[in-house]
Amino acid sequence: MKKKRLLLSLIFISIVMLLSGCDSKLAVLNPKGPVAKTQANTIIFSILMMAFVLIVVYILYIIMLTKYRASKTSDDYEPPHIEGNKWLELTWTAIPVIIVAILSVVTVQTTYAVEKVPAGYEDQKPLVIYASSSDWKWHFSYPEEGIETVNYVNIPTNRPVEFRLYSYGPITSFWVPQLGGQKYAMTDMITKLNLVAEHEGSYLGKNANFSGKGFAKMEFEVQAQSPGDYTKWVNDVKQTAPKLTEQEFNTLLKTDFVGRKSYSSTHLGFAPPPEGDMAGHQHGGDSKTEKDSGSENMDHMNHDMSGMDMSGSSSMEHGH
C-alpha cells in the first residue's frame, strides 16, 4: 500500500512540474480569430464533459469501496442472492450513449462551421493565398497582389483569408493554432482553409504532419496587420523585392532549408496549382505568362484531340 501511495505521489508531482513548465496559455486555447475560438470552445466543452464523467466515476468508486468493503463474518455466512436491476442497467447503458451523442453533435456542428467563411464575414471578399509546401519550407503566393513570400505570410486583420493548400512533396499539414485548426496539403488536389485574424500580432504556423527528417523546421510566421499596414507592406514588396524566375523557384524547391524571402511576382504562372485552380485569376506581372501557358495548353489539347479522332477513324476503318 505504501509503495502504491509513493508511486501515485510521484506521478502527481511529475504532472504538476510538467504543467508548470508550460506556457501560461496554450496556443490552441488562446484564440485570435473566430475559427480558432469556435474550436477552442469545442475543446473546452469536451474537457468539461470528460471531467464530469471522471468525477462521477471517482465518487462512485469511493462509495463502493467504503460501503461494500470486505469485513469479518462468521464461517457459515452466505451472501444473499441478488438479481440484476433493469433500471440500473438501463441507466449505465443510456448515460454513455447520451454523452457520445452530445459530443458527436457538437463536433459535427463545429466541423461544418469552420469549413466555411466565419459568421459576420460572409459579405467580404476573401483574400486568396496559395500556400504550397516543399522540403522543408512554405511558399505563399498572392495572386491578387502579384507577390510571393517564403516561410512567412502577412495578412490583414478582420478580413477573411482563404488559404489554398497543396504540396510539391509529401503530404504536409498547415496549422496556425491561434487562428484555426490544421488541414492537409497534398500534391494532386487543392484543399481550402478559411481563417480570420481579429487581432494584430505575430502567430506561429507549422507543419503538423510528419513528412520527413526536416518537418520539425517547417515553421512560418503569420503577421496579422491592420489593413493600412498590410497595403504598405504589399507596395514595399512590389517595389523592392526581385522577380521570382522559374530557375530561382526550382532552386528553392531543391534547397532543403532557406530563410525568409520575398518576391515581386509569383510562381503560379509557370508552375500552376493542381487541377487548373488558377482559372479566372490575374497575378500581376505573371498574367501574360499564364495566358501564353494557357494558350499553349489549349494547342496541345486540340492536337491531342485531333490525334484521337484520327486514330479513332482509322480504327473504325480497319474494323470495317
Side-chain angles (χ1 to χ4, degrees):
M1 181 64 71
K2 290 183 179 180
K3 290 183 178 180
K4 289 184 179 180
R5 289 179 179 175
L6 178 61
L7 179 61
L8 291 174
S9 300
L10 290 174
I11 294 174
F12 177 76
I13 293 172
S14 300
I15 293 174
V16 171
M17 292 179 65
L18 179 63
L19 293 177
S20 63
C22 298
D23 294 334
S24 57
K25 288 186 177 180
L26 294 173
V28 292
L29 299 181
N30 185 25
K32 298 299 181 181
V35 176
K37 192 175 298 182
T38 299
Q39 294 172 332
N41 291 338
T42 301
I43 293 172
I44 293 173
F45 177 79
S46 301
I47 291 174
L48 292 177
M49 285 283 291
M50 290 183 285
F52 172 75
V53 172
L54 288 176
I55 291 172
V56 172
V57 170
Y58 288 149
I59 291 175
L60 292 176
Y61 179 69
I62 294 173
I63 292 175
M64 296 301 173
L65 288 180
T66 304
K67 185 175 181 180
Y68 300 103
R69 68 185 185 276
S71 58
K72 292 183 178 180
T73 57
S74 59
D75 295 338
D76 59 347
Y77 172 77
E78 184 177 345
H81 177 71
I82 301 176
E83 295 183 358
N85 188 307
K86 65 178 181 179
W87 294 112
L88 284 177
E89 292 176 359
L90 287 174
T91 300
W92 64 54
T93 302
I95 290 177
V97 173
I98 294 173
I99 293 173
V100 172
I102 293 174
L103 292 175
S104 299
V105 170
V106 173
T107 302
V108 170
Q109 289 178 341
T110 301
T111 301
Y112 276 99
V114 300
E115 283 296 317
K116 56 186 180 181
V117 176
Y121 295 91
E122 302 93 337
D123 58 337
Q124 294 190 38
K125 179 183 178 182
L127 172 65
V128 175
I129 300 177
Y130 286 84
S132 55
S133 63
S134 64
D135 297 340
W136 313 94
K137 65 200 78 68
W138 290 91
H139 311 260
F140 297 95
S141 307
Y142 297 71
E144 297 176 15
E145 318 290 4
I147 62 174
E148 184 161 327
T149 60
V150 178
N151 289 333
Y152 82 98
V153 57
N154 289 9
I155 61 175
T157 54
N158 298 305
R159 180 183 174 183
V161 179
E162 182 183 288
F163 286 100
R164 300 187 179 183
L165 313 173
Y166 62 101
S167 173
Y168 283 98
I171 295 176
T172 55
S173 180
F174 183 90
W175 187 30
V176 186
Q178 289 185 273
L179 296 182
Q182 60 181 328
K183 181 163 283 192
Y184 288 116
M186 294 167 277
T187 57
D188 59 348
M189 64 178 295
I190 292 284
T191 54
K192 298 180 181 181
L193 180 64
N194 295 290
L195 300 178
V196 175
E198 294 183 327
H199 304 275
E200 295 181 29
S202 174
Y203 309 119
L204 175 67
K206 61 179 67 178
N207 171 22
N209 183 60
F210 180 77
S211 56
K213 62 180 181 180
F215 93 102
K217 295 184 179 181
M218 289 186 67
E219 295 183 348
F220 58 91
E221 180 189 15
V222 179
Q223 184 72 33
Q225 302 174 304
S226 66
D229 290 341
Y230 172 76
T231 301
K232 291 179 181 178
W233 169 77
V234 170
N235 292 331
D236 182 65
V237 172
K238 288 182 177 180
Q239 295 172 6
T240 61
K243 295 282 186 179
L244 178 59
T245 63
E246 187 171 0
Q247 182 180 1
E248 169 73 7
F249 182 67
N250 291 333
T251 301
L252 285 175
L253 293 180
K254 295 176 183 178
T255 306
D256 288 342
F257 303 105
V258 299
R260 299 188 181 193
K261 293 183 177 293
S262 304
Y263 299 97
S264 56
S265 63
T266 75
H267 72 266
L268 301 176
F270 50 79
E275 296 190 358
D277 191 75
M278 295 304 302
H281 286 289
Q282 296 296 326
H283 310 286
D286 293 339
S287 57
K288 183 179 184 301
T289 306
E290 290 164 14
K291 183 178 179 181
D292 295 341
S293 176
S295 300
E296 184 178 352
N297 290 337
M298 286 299 296
D299 292 339
H300 283 302
M301 186 181 297
N302 292 334
H303 180 270
D304 293 340
M305 289 297 292
S306 300
M308 185 183 301
D309 293 340
M310 291 177 65
S311 61
S313 300
S314 299
S315 299
M316 289 295 291
E317 291 172 0
H318 286 299
H320 286 297

